[in-house]
Amino acid sequence: MAETHTMKYMPGFGNDFETEALPNALPQGMNSPQKCEYGLYAEQLSGTAFTAPRGQNERSWCYRIRPSVKHTGKFQKIGMPYWKSAPCIDEDIISLGQYRWDPIPYSEHETNFISGMRTITTAGDVNTQVGMATHIYIATKSMVNEYFYSADSEILVVPQEGRLRFATELGIIDIEPKEIAILPRGLVYRVEVLEGPARGFVCENYGQKFDLPNRGPIGANCLANPRDFKTPVAAFEDKDVASKVTVKWCGQFHETMINHSPLDVVAWHGNYAPCKYDLRTFSPVGSILFDHPDPSIFTVLTAPSGIEGTANIDFVLFRERWMVAENTFRPPWYHKNIMSELMGNIYGVYDAKPDGFIPGGISLHNMMLPHGPDAPAFEHASNDKLIAEKLDNTMSFMFETRFPQHLTPFSALEAPLQSTYQNCWDAIEKKFDGTPGTK
Ligand SMILES: [Fe+2]
């Protein structure tokens, strides 16, 4: 039995990486030698169609102790009642409305990252690979000799409490709040709770992979910079022990038993790999004279939908920043969008909702449903003296999709939904009486 525990990362977003956990395990100058070093098996993991254009084509070559065909046996379907996939539309549940939840509490029963997944919304269709689902994970225990992969989705993890280790086929990623991890479709991993209990948000992307947004006139720098994304170096387990692999495939869950660890990639090269990103390295760009730009200015990652500029998912970050705009209503304005917005609070206070949207909390503003600052936030921002002000102690994010988001039975009926959320706009007054000069 041998294991490696190298905790190192390689910088860059979507680079063509190469890494080996044992010397000379990686073939040079070719992908598939007649015989690989150490008796390893060569295998390609493709994240895109073979013929996808060069700029989008993603695949990695793995040199592993056993080929992946040895990492599954006969599949058995299992129930995972809290992890839903789109379309999941319950005719008794009303998704039309502005919704907000308190943090999802931990279960009385121990849960791991997979069994503790609670779906909040689904959008699109997992079978046609469009749309997404949003989840909260509540994890109190590590997966031991248990592994998982999702054939359905790329998974974006946003921790809010606790620390997690993703031991993946391609290396080890540790994350904590203020960091995120991206696990590509098809990648096998085990999740350990390094510090628990662990809770956080997940965006399950059924469509094209997350990419960095174009910066347009912003130029070559700021927002999320590629070098701040970190991909792990190769790490493997040579462990012959009864193990369980759970597979999410077309919205259904399957289990298969094997007699060894599937995390047996000794060396790999390619551009299809997991990564982590520290949200504190996001350099926000904003208004420096007047008006409030569209929130797209804070996009960290975008997953295209096929319609240019209309994302399947945007991952948008509202972090600490200076507010300096003059003669301007500084919080987000009132609005009604075609996009559907699910927000989560990682820590601190969100400027448009100073009360009620607390760390671990979630809000949903669905397609063509108006929303905006609550009454106290409006009054404060309309009357406050506009000095340069640091918005400190704040980190919230948004999973925004072009598809309407549907509540699940869990989020509508079991989760701590705030029944009075819509009242936050009750105190907004009519100020108009036709008199010129009234403000
Ligand atoms: Fe909004």
Side-chain angles (χ1 to χ4, degrees):
M1 183 193 278
E3 289 182 44
T4 57
H5 286 289
T6 317
M7 285 301 308
K8 282 190 187 153
Y9 301 98
M10 302 175 283
F13 187 87
N15 288 10
D16 195 35
F17 297 106
E18 65 170 30
T19 171
E20 57 188 16
L22 294 176
N24 305 318
L26 193 66
Q28 292 296 325
M30 64 186 303
N31 294 324
S32 193
Q34 188 177 17
K35 286 188 173 193
C36 294
E37 198 62 47
Y38 299 102
L40 297 171
Y41 291 85
E43 179 174 302
Q44 183 175 227
L45 173 63
S46 289
T48 54
F50 294 140
T51 47
R54 176 180 281 269
Q56 296 161 19
N57 205 309
E58 297 200 8
R59 61 90 181 90
S60 285
W61 276 92
C62 304
Y63 301 91
R64 57 196 317 157
I65 297 170
R66 296 178 178 88
S68 288
V69 286
K70 298 289 287 180
H71 299 331
T72 57
K74 207 168 165 52
F75 290 106
Q76 213 173 0
K77 266 193 191 169
I78 56 166
M80 200 70 79
Y82 285 106
W83 189 335
K84 301 290 189 191
S85 294
C88 172
I89 301 173
D90 187 317
E91 60 183 33
D92 295 326
I93 288 172
I94 300 174
S95 294
L96 184 69
Q98 300 95 344
Y99 291 109
R100 193 165 67 189
W101 292 264
D102 286 327
I104 306 299
Y106 293 96
S107 169
E108 300 160 14
H109 309 289
E110 284 202 308
T111 50
N112 64 30
F113 183 77
I114 303 304
S115 65
M117 201 67 79
R118 305 282 182 262
T119 306
I120 305 299
T121 63
T122 68
D125 186 341
V126 73
N127 276 293
T128 51
Q129 301 184 346
V130 293
M132 62 156 213
T134 65
H135 315 276
I136 296 288
Y137 65 84
I138 42 172
T140 50
K141 66 171 181 180
S142 296
M143 295 162 72
V144 180
N145 301 324
E146 290 177 81
Y147 303 88
F148 173 78
Y149 77 87
S150 171
D152 287 345
S153 45
E154 174 184 38
I155 288 182
L156 170 64
V157 185
V158 185
Q160 188 261 322
E161 267 183 352
R163 293 175 56 231
L164 296 177
R165 167 167 294 174
F166 290 85
T168 82
E169 286 177 287
L170 301 185
I172 299 169
I173 290 180
D174 286 355
I175 55 167
E176 58 188 26
K178 304 175 193 171
E179 295 181 312
I180 59 169
I182 305 172
L183 290 315
R185 184 193 299 262
L187 184 80
V188 180
Y189 51 89
R190 179 185 71 237
V191 187
E192 296 172 15
V193 176
L194 296 180
E195 209 178 288
R199 179 175 58 207
F201 310 90
V202 164
C203 182
E204 197 189 349
N205 174 14
Y206 303 146
Q208 283 186 65
K209 279 175 56 85
F210 280 110
D211 201 353
L212 292 173
N214 288 319
R215 294 192 186 89
I218 294 171
N221 301 291
C222 294
L223 310 184
N225 289 300
R227 68 183 284 246
D228 297 318
F229 288 81
K230 311 286 183 187
T231 287
V233 298
F236 69 95
E237 298 174 348
D238 179 11
K239 202 160 75 170
D240 293 331
V241 57
S243 302
K244 185 171 79 181
V245 181
T246 302
V247 183
K248 180 175 191 280
W249 194 87
C250 293
Q252 298 180 323
F253 289 84
H254 311 74
E255 221 172 69
T256 181
M257 297 302 295
I258 55 174
N259 55 15
H260 48 264
S261 166
L263 307 184
D264 64 354
V265 177
V266 178
W268 62 270
H269 78 86
N271 61 352
Y272 192 66
C275 65
K276 67 184 264 183
Y277 174 72
D278 187 334
L279 296 170
R280 289 162 293 197
T281 64
F282 183 82
S283 171
V285 169
S287 178
I288 53 170
L289 192 58
F290 65 88
D291 274 357
H292 184 99
D294 291 321
S296 46
I297 197 82
F298 297 141
T299 301
V300 182
L301 292 161
T302 186
S305 74
I307 298 176
E308 197 177 351
T310 304
N312 184 31
I313 309 162
D314 278 335
F315 173 60
V316 180
L317 183 71
F318 307 100
R319 66 159 304 186
E320 295 87 350
R321 60 200 183 274
W322 280 90
M323 307 291 269
V324 298
E326 297 173 356
N327 186 27
T328 289
F329 184 79
R330 288 178 174 176
W333 14 249
Y334 294 100
H335 56 286
K336 187 161 102 170
N337 294 348
I338 190 163
M339 304 291 275
S340 296
E341 310 168 4
L342 182 129
M343 285 189 64
N345 187 341
I346 300 169
Y347 70 81
V349 177
Y350 178 65
D351 61 332
K353 301 278 164 49
D355 300 308
F357 181 48
I358 61 175
I362 313 161
S363 69
L364 176 67
H365 302 113
N366 232 324
M367 175 180 70
M368 286 300 169
L369 274 173
H371 54 283
D374 60 24
F378 178 83
E379 289 304 326
H380 179 78
S382 305
N383 297 300
D384 206 23
K385 193 160 179 249
L386 294 183
I387 53 172
E389 186 190 4
K390 177 93 182 275
L391 270 189
D392 233 334
N393 184 34
T394 187
M395 190 176 272
S396 296
F397 70 90
M398 182 160 69
F399 298 145
E400 179 176 278
T401 170
R402 60 172 290 210
F403 300 104
Q405 298 189 41
H406 294 271
L407 271 59
T408 59
F410 171 76
S411 62
L413 305 171
E414 272 187 64
L417 192 58
Q418 296 178 3
S419 58
T420 57
Y421 173 44
Q422 290 196 345
N423 302 351
C424 77
W425 295 292
D426 281 357
I428 295 174
E429 295 170 334
K430 174 185 168 188
K431 297 176 190 289
F432 176 83
D433 68 359
T435 311
T438 303
K439 282 195 175 176

